[in-house]
Amino acid sequence: MLEIKNLNVWYGAIHAVHDISMSIARGEIVTLIGANGAGKSSTIRAIAGLVKGAKGQVTWTGKDGRPVQLLGRPPEYMVKLGISLSPEGRRILPQLTVEENLMLGAYIRSDKDGIQADIEYCYRLFPRLKERRGQKGGTLSGGEQQMLAVARALMSHPDLLMLDEPSLGLAPILVEEVFATISEINREGRTILLVEQNAYAALRIARKAYVLETGAITLQGTGAELLENPKVKEAYLGG
Ligand SMILES: Nc1ncnc2c1ncn2[C@@H]1O[C@H](COP(=O)(O)OP(=O)(O)OP(=O)(O)O)[C@@H](O)[C@H]1O
Ligand SMILES: [Mg+2]
């Protein structure tokens, strides 16, 4: 579904992502783990069309089976294809209500019934958001804002949902809840690319995983393999 070959990201003279290659098959959860500054967000943002200095091949094959090159296309084009990103750091609109934020995630759609059904779907996944549907985004707790960011990304009804550190700053109990929800979203047919620093939780739900270190992929395998890998254990799982 998504094939990344020799992706490089430059910010001026800074070479943030070095020649990485990854593949994501339809229906999979794939995770990209790595420390602060490893290049995780740069990778996922490049795929979403948000980084100007990205070079390489990112090939998307949609349901019609026709491959298209993504690099150099605007973010709206990605959304139309069925690719959606929940960005790092709770980028919701603080002045708008929960429901208005969700509606914004559906901005490219015009199927009113479908949008309403997806709002209900988000409220089923995150009952907390339903209780607070009329509350301003900025007054939600950090964890609730995180849930809203994930829910909003779902509102474009994506085939591929990309999540940038959905567990960032959450209490352990909420981390579990969010990861269970990610698994559920996947079971209902969506492919997921999950960027995480919480390696343990991410590897447990991922079919396939890549480890990124200073911009390069240093290890890859199934989630189960990497959970048992001594290097991963030492560097990311606390020994
Ligand atoms: N807009 C930018 N301009 C210049 N350098 C940038 C920019 N964005 C990211 N970088 C640099 O690129 C490198 C990779 O950053 P990136 O945000 O991709 O890392 P990350 O793996 O997502 O880290 P974190 O876990 O802290 O979010 C870092 O050294 C960062 O300083
Ligand atoms: Mg990041």
Side-chain angles (χ1 to χ4, degrees):
M1 165 186 247
L2 193 69
E3 191 73 45
I4 297 156
K5 274 200 186 133
N6 307 109
L7 178 67
N8 284 274
V9 174
W10 295 86
Y11 299 108
I14 298 171
H15 194 184
V17 174
H18 300 249
D19 240 8
I20 70 167
S21 297
M22 294 168 60
S23 70
I24 301 167
R26 189 171 292 282
E28 277 185 334
I29 300 185
V30 174
T31 188
L32 182 61
I33 59 173
N36 286 122
K40 304 181 299 297
S41 297
S42 299
T43 300
I44 207 170
R45 285 168 49 79
I47 297 168
L50 298 168
V51 181
K52 286 212 172 70
K55 299 237 151 33
Q57 281 174 291
V58 179
T59 313
W60 165 263
T61 309
K63 283 187 176 135
D64 60 2
R66 201 171 50 91
V68 280
Q69 286 301 324
L70 297 188
L71 285 190
R73 311 265 194 176
E76 309 83 70
Y77 182 81
M78 313 296 172
V79 178
K80 279 199 186 119
L81 284 179
I83 302 172
S84 176
L85 169 68
S86 168
E88 187 179 330
R90 309 163 184 170
R91 301 258 179 78
I92 55 139
L93 291 166
Q95 297 305 326
L96 300 184
T97 66
V98 165
E99 192 142 319
E100 286 163 349
N101 268 281
L102 289 179
M103 291 300 293
L104 268 187
Y107 75 97
I108 63 153
R109 299 172 61 182
S110 52
D111 56 324
K112 277 206 176 124
D113 293 349
I115 292 172
Q116 199 50 47
D118 278 347
I119 284 186
E120 292 308 324
Y121 169 65
C122 287
Y123 286 156
R124 258 201 322 281
L125 286 175
F126 300 105
R128 192 87 62 96
L129 294 180
K130 184 170 191 177
E131 288 165 22
R132 289 163 172 72
R133 63 203 298 168
Q135 189 173 323
K136 291 245 161 67
T139 65
L140 296 174
S141 78
E144 289 161 0
Q145 291 187 29
Q146 203 89 299
M147 293 176 195
L148 180 55
V150 175
R152 190 184 53 185
L154 274 172
M155 287 301 300
S156 64
H157 207 82
D159 285 338
L160 174 66
L161 176 63
M162 302 198 291
L163 303 166
D164 195 349
E165 301 207 39
S167 81
L168 190 71
L170 299 187
I173 178 130
L174 269 189
V175 171
E176 254 175 61
E177 210 175 298
V178 164
F179 276 85
T181 305
I182 293 168
S183 294
E184 189 177 337
I185 293 167
N186 172 250
R187 277 196 303 276
E188 288 171 359
R190 270 174 258 249
T191 309
I192 290 173
L193 175 56
L194 172 64
V195 159
E196 263 297 336
Q197 278 199 59
N198 188 333
Y200 181 69
L203 291 174
R204 276 183 50 188
I205 64 167
R207 162 85 188 74
K208 208 161 71 198
Y210 295 88
V211 177
L212 199 57
E213 279 177 48
T214 53
I217 288 174
T218 52
L219 281 170
Q220 64 187 75
T222 65
E225 279 165 2
L226 292 196
L227 274 174
E228 292 304 320
N229 183 295
K231 280 190 204 140
V232 174
K233 278 188 176 167
E234 193 190 321
Y236 302 102
L237 303 173

